[in-house]
Amino acid sequence: MRSTDIRSTFLDFFQKRDHRVVPSSPLIPSDPTLLLANAGMNQFKPYFLGETTPEHPRAVSVQKCARTSDIENVGRTTRHATFFEMLGNFSFGDYFKSEAISWAWELFTRHYNLDPERLWITVYLDDEEAVRLWQRVGVPPERIQRLGMEDNYWSMGIPGPCGPSSELHYDRGPSFGREGGPAVDGERYQELWNLVFMQNLRGEGSGKDGYPILGELPARNIDTGLGLDRLAAVLQDVDTVCETDLLAPTFRLVQEMAGREYPGRDGGDDSTSFRVVAEHSRSITFLIADGVMPARDGRGYVLRRLMRRAVRHARRLGIDDLALPALTSSVIGNLGGTWPELTRQSALIRQVVTAEEEGFERTLRQGSRLLESAIGRATATISGRTAFDLHDTYGFPIDLTVDAARSAGLTVDEDEFAALLEEQRHQAHRAGQGRKGDAVARQDAYRRITAEHGPTQFVGYASTSAETRVQALLGPHGTLHAAGEGDEVEVILTRSPFYAESGGQVGDTGTVRTSGATLRVLDTRPGLDDLHVHTVRILDGEVRPGDEAEAVADADRRAATARSHSATHVLHAMLRRLLGDHAAQRGSRVEPGRLRFDFAHFSPVDTRPVQTLVNDYLLDDPEVRVWETTRAEAEAAGAVALFGEKYGQDVRIVDIGDASRELCGGTHVGHGSQAGPVHIVGEASIGTGLRRIEALTGADALRHHDHQRDILTELAAMLNVRPDQAPDRLRQRLETLAETRRHLDTLRQAELDAQAERLASLAEPVPGGWLVAQRVPSTTGADLRTLTTKILTLRDGRGVVVLGTDTDGKAALVAAAGADTGIQARDLLTEAAREVGGGAGGKGPIANAGGRDPGNLPKAITTAARRARTLLTLD
Ligand code: SER
């Protein structure tokens, strides 16, 4: 059975049982506590928690998942993957164990036609109900095993919904491991499908057993996850995912590029490398398509690690040319039909992987040089610290360090390396926990408020003011009964005209008045999905939950923000028109009168035509039309949706004229011309394949213009010409200035020549040669050096020059010894330098000294002269 049939069989089966098909969410989750989407249930978390009620109580999906916590296992085993598609059916407080179990059995044995004799079941320790249900569908008791928390209790790895589970395993036969069921051998009895009976809530804590189960969820739910890869491997009778039709073309390409065949499941490190390269190519392709860009931390780092690991294993297999561009193309070719975002983003994917692989090559070269010098210095061992620095700073992999050291007959202190790595992991983990902790505590408070009162009613699309009521007050430690003058707290209102920051648009500010208090709204953010959280300062009086209030958003600021938001959409559309579809939005910041727009592109962009196009488009005064529809229709209508944004089933679409259509929850102008002029003030690279444009809009663009014109007017006045003549006049002035400078330099040289000649004529003959020791009226150290050299050339090589000067309360001395004297110039000044309160420096024939004691300069010159006489005589 081909993988496309496996997917459609699954979806059909559950659709016929009244499940609604829900598309996969992007790999970048909207849940701030989660790095990457790792299970089908992620997007349904609010339903399980009872925060939001789903439109329909049953769902079925094929979800893109990334799991990289045990990346080191991937490739080594045949069953781990960093990316996979998870088939899942879900019940939100609707059906439970009995249906979940009987449907799973029916689908497996009658539709996928798996041999019932090879299926094994595991259940959570004391889940007698599940045991009974499995027996009822016909599973013999000897093939039902009971396992504990570690295996049969599922949670997201973070606080949230969780529950006991029951898993279906497939016996792959004796060549994969020992007899005895999944309790004995997970490689032979491979888990295929996990049925989670979502009924509990887990709190904070780490490790499978280390967190508390806080209690029951509002309802009993079902969350199942069936790995498409693994099922495909069974149904297509191959050993690993790489050999299924999901990855086979890419896997074959790896072998072609390496010029040799995959040695089979048991070929040791080579087998691992073949599998890693193919498997990682798929994750890399999907991650970039969903908007992840390589970076030093976060999900960008996950991506970078995958790319580097793939490249390393490719090189290990002898693939020396760029590998990732071809490999990711083959993934797109194979899976782009099912996942159209891969095809849409193919240009970007190619650019990103090419840049990253080339960058990694440079890293490897740079690391190799450093490593060579470390090897050169080492006697027996390369320190763990050096290996760690190479790894941490240059991304240079430890196994390469070890290999290189070994070839040079050296070892690496791997224990020290491991300890340093562990320490770093610890630090990162602690930092991560802290962040998660804060976010989770706040989310909990918002969740309670939403559960009690429902979401905020946002009325700000139609109006900037509203009659409302204070629903809750929140301080740093939780809800408050009252807040008074000077306090800065968070306020939740029943209805709010304040836009809560999202989609890049800043939150509204404004004022809330109750009968007893005035509150200044400093910012508005989304708490949970539809909960608007207002950060306020109480200007006077006292406020309590329940108070009636009048809320007024700052209308001018909102209007200026709307201009920027509409301008951003038009800028996006025009960039794509000029540069191509790959120039898609990667982020934006929409503020009153100003916008920042990040997009995918690989070279600098000439902003003048972009600006002209945007302004022309807006001046045509296109109508701004806002409408709502279902997500599926929006996509069919070609609306641009943004990565990582969360959209429900119903979406809001903003059209500006014919060329711009985006899914957007923001506030906009009514007509294009209201956005006013757009003035681009900056364009720059902000990372590999990423650029940023900054622009001003409306009145701010005009003010910027005025300011520029004021500068020009002032310059023109200073130059005494009309503004349009200013550049020519300034150029002339600068030329004259340069000319004058050259002239002055010539004069200065002539003056120094004359001075050198005069000083040279003052040379006194001494035994062994001649000596010039003079004080020069205030001049610079540099001039003293020039004079010294000139005097030496004017005379012969058998003399010594000592010159001193004082400027700005400091003394400076320069001494030079002729080539035939054999004197180290510094010897001349050592003692003299002490007399002016400083030290002497300089090597060879010329030396200098400086000190803070100019009063002693004459004495110091005499001392240096005396020393010169002695040295000349000795010579
Ligand atoms: N959430 C469970 C898992 O990921 C079942 O879907 O395994």
Side-chain angles (χ1 to χ4, degrees), residues 713-723 725-726 729 733:
T713 313
E714 191 180 341
L715 282 176
M718 285 163 73
L719 292 163
N720 222 353
V721 291
R722 291 198 318 266
Q725 297 166 328
R729 174 57 62 91
R733 288 279 158 97

Side-chain angles (χ1 to χ4, degrees), residues 39 41 67 86 154 194 196 223-225:
M41 55 71 62
R67 288 188 186 172
M86 189 184 271
W154 198 87
N194 185 13
V196 183
D223 152 31
T224 87

Side-chain angles (χ1 to χ4, degrees), residues 9-10 12-14 16-17 98-116 119 121 133-134 137-139 168 193 195:
T9 302
F10 191 89
D12 286 351
F13 180 88
F14 284 104
K16 290 209 179 87
R17 284 155 187 79
S98 158
E99 292 87 337
I101 286 178
S102 57
W103 283 337
W105 189 255
E106 182 186 348
L107 181 61
F108 256 19
T109 55
R110 298 218 211 108
H111 297 258
Y112 291 130
N113 298 323
L114 292 172
D115 177 0
L119 291 174
I121 303 296
L133 290 166
W134 284 116
V137 297
V139 184
L168 292 91
W193 199 350
L195 315 181

Side-chain angles (χ1 to χ4, degrees), residues 188-372:
R188 167 166 173 181
Y189 300 90
Q190 177 170 244
E191 175 204 335
L192 295 180
W193 199 350
N194 185 13
L195 315 181
V196 183
F197 312 123
M198 283 285 195
Q199 53 193 38
N200 301 113
L201 183 65
R202 74 161 271 197
E204 286 201 55
S206 57
K208 280 269 178 185
D209 300 303
Y211 54 80
I213 305 298
L214 295 181
E216 304 274 308
L217 291 173
R220 300 199 302 175
N221 312 282
I222 289 295
D223 152 31
T224 87
L226 166 59
L228 174 63
D229 285 10
R230 292 183 182 181
L231 181 58
V234 169
L235 294 178
Q236 295 168 14
D237 198 20
V238 293
D239 289 348
T240 68
V241 50
C242 294
E243 295 151 289
T244 65
D245 64 344
L246 290 162
L247 267 177
T250 311
F251 198 49
R252 267 198 303 279
L253 180 60
V254 180
Q255 297 171 61
E256 266 165 42
M257 291 167 88
R260 60 199 163 107
E261 297 276 308
Y262 171 59
R265 168 151 55 95
D266 301 319
D269 286 351
D270 264 4
S271 299
T272 302
S273 292
F274 276 109
R275 295 197 292 253
V276 166
V277 176
E279 198 280 335
H280 285 13
S281 297
R282 178 176 59 166
S283 333
I284 293 165
T285 312
F286 274 88
L287 284 168
I288 302 175
D290 269 3
V292 181
M293 284 283 163
R296 288 184 68 91
D297 52 16
R299 35 181 94 90
Y301 183 63
V302 171
L303 171 63
R304 173 161 284 166
R305 246 184 107 191
L306 287 167
M307 292 205 253
R308 294 187 160 191
R309 198 160 181 260
V311 170
R312 231 166 2 95
H313 283 273
R315 299 291 180 269
R316 224 195 131 265
L317 292 172
I319 305 174
D320 290 326
D321 295 336
L322 280 191
L324 292 180
L327 291 167
T328 49
S329 296
S330 105
V331 173
I332 299 170
N334 190 36
L335 294 172
T338 309
W339 300 100
E341 61 270 40
L342 303 186
T343 316
R344 274 204 302 273
Q345 299 300 333
S346 59
L348 176 71
I349 294 168
R350 171 171 276 279
Q351 285 166 333
V352 172
V353 298
T354 308
E356 189 69 13
E357 188 168 353
E358 286 172 352
F360 187 44
E361 284 291 319
R362 281 194 295 280
T363 298
L364 288 178
R365 278 198 297 276
Q366 194 177 9
S368 301
R369 276 200 297 278
L370 287 165
L371 183 58
E372 270 163 33

Side-chain angles (χ1 to χ4, degrees), residues 51 250 318 344 369 438 475 491 498 648 652 707 781 789 827 832 848:
E51 288 165 8
T250 311
R344 274 204 302 273
R369 276 200 297 278
D438 281 349
V491 174
F498 297 99
R652 185 172 181 265
H707 181 60
T789 326
D827 285 350
N848 49 288

Side-chain angles (χ1 to χ4, degrees), residues 400-685:
L400 292 191
T401 305
V402 173
D403 278 355
R406 195 176 299 136
S407 333
L410 300 168
T411 55
V412 176
D413 187 342
E414 289 188 69
D415 289 343
E416 189 191 359
F417 174 82
L420 288 166
L421 199 63
E422 191 51 37
E423 188 184 320
Q424 190 192 41
R425 279 204 189 118
H426 246 75
Q427 278 167 4
H429 183 72
R430 275 201 300 275
Q433 287 298 320
R435 266 203 309 281
K436 266 188 205 165
D438 281 349
V440 169
R442 260 204 312 278
Q443 298 276 321
D444 272 353
Y446 300 151
R447 198 167 286 139
R448 275 197 304 276
I449 294 169
T450 314
E452 208 172 313
H453 306 285
T456 311
Q457 191 191 342
F458 176 57
V459 297
Y461 288 133
S463 162
T464 49
S465 63
E467 299 295 329
T468 179
R469 190 153 30 82
V470 175
Q471 200 153 61
L473 296 169
L474 286 162
H477 306 296
T479 46
L480 304 169
H481 297 299
E485 189 173 321
D487 289 349
E488 204 170 297
V489 295
E490 291 182 349
V491 174
I492 314 287
L493 302 169
T494 50
R495 312 165 75 221
S496 172
F498 297 99
Y499 183 81
E501 167 164 358
S502 67
Q505 179 177 333
V506 293
D508 277 343
T509 58
T511 312
V512 174
R513 280 199 183 79
T514 66
S515 60
T518 312
L519 284 55
R520 178 74 200 150
V521 177
L522 306 171
D523 192 15
T524 311
R525 290 178 299 109
L528 285 181
D529 285 352
D530 293 319
L531 192 74
H532 290 226
V533 178
H534 311 85
T535 305
V536 305
R537 173 164 312 121
I538 319 271
L539 298 182
D540 56 58
E542 193 184 75
V543 57
R544 291 172 177 278
D547 287 354
E548 300 292 330
E550 188 187 8
V552 184
D554 293 331
D556 288 350
R557 185 172 181 274
R558 163 72 84 74
T561 308
R563 280 188 203 107
S564 299
H565 207 148
S566 301
T568 303
H569 283 206
V570 173
L571 174 63
H572 188 193
M574 295 305 119
L575 279 171
R576 292 176 78 143
R577 181 180 282 182
L578 275 174
L579 306 174
D581 265 354
H582 70 276
Q585 174 164 352
R586 284 286 173 274
S588 72
R589 175 91 186 151
V590 174
E591 293 173 30
R594 151 181 294 277
L595 66 92
R596 199 175 73 200
F597 185 77
D598 301 340
F599 58 104
H601 191 60
F602 263 75
S603 49
V605 175
D606 179 4
T607 54
R608 186 48 75 90
V610 179
Q611 179 174 298
T612 309
L613 210 57
V614 168
N615 283 311
D616 286 352
Y617 191 86
L618 289 170
L619 280 175
D620 259 351
D621 203 20
E623 195 188 337
V624 178
R625 233 167 44 86
V626 179
W627 49 290
E628 286 188 3
T629 181
T630 63
R631 176 154 111 168
E633 271 174 32
E635 275 166 16
V640 181
L642 293 186
F643 294 126
E645 292 281 321
K646 191 170 173 189
Y647 303 103
Q649 283 305 307
D650 287 326
V651 295
R652 185 172 181 265
I653 296 192
V654 177
D655 286 344
I656 306 181
D658 299 331
S660 163
R661 165 166 294 174
E662 295 197 19
L663 260 55
C664 175
T667 58
H668 286 268
V669 299
H671 277 262
S673 62
Q674 290 168 338
V678 177
H679 191 93
I680 297 181
V681 289
E683 193 276 337
S685 161

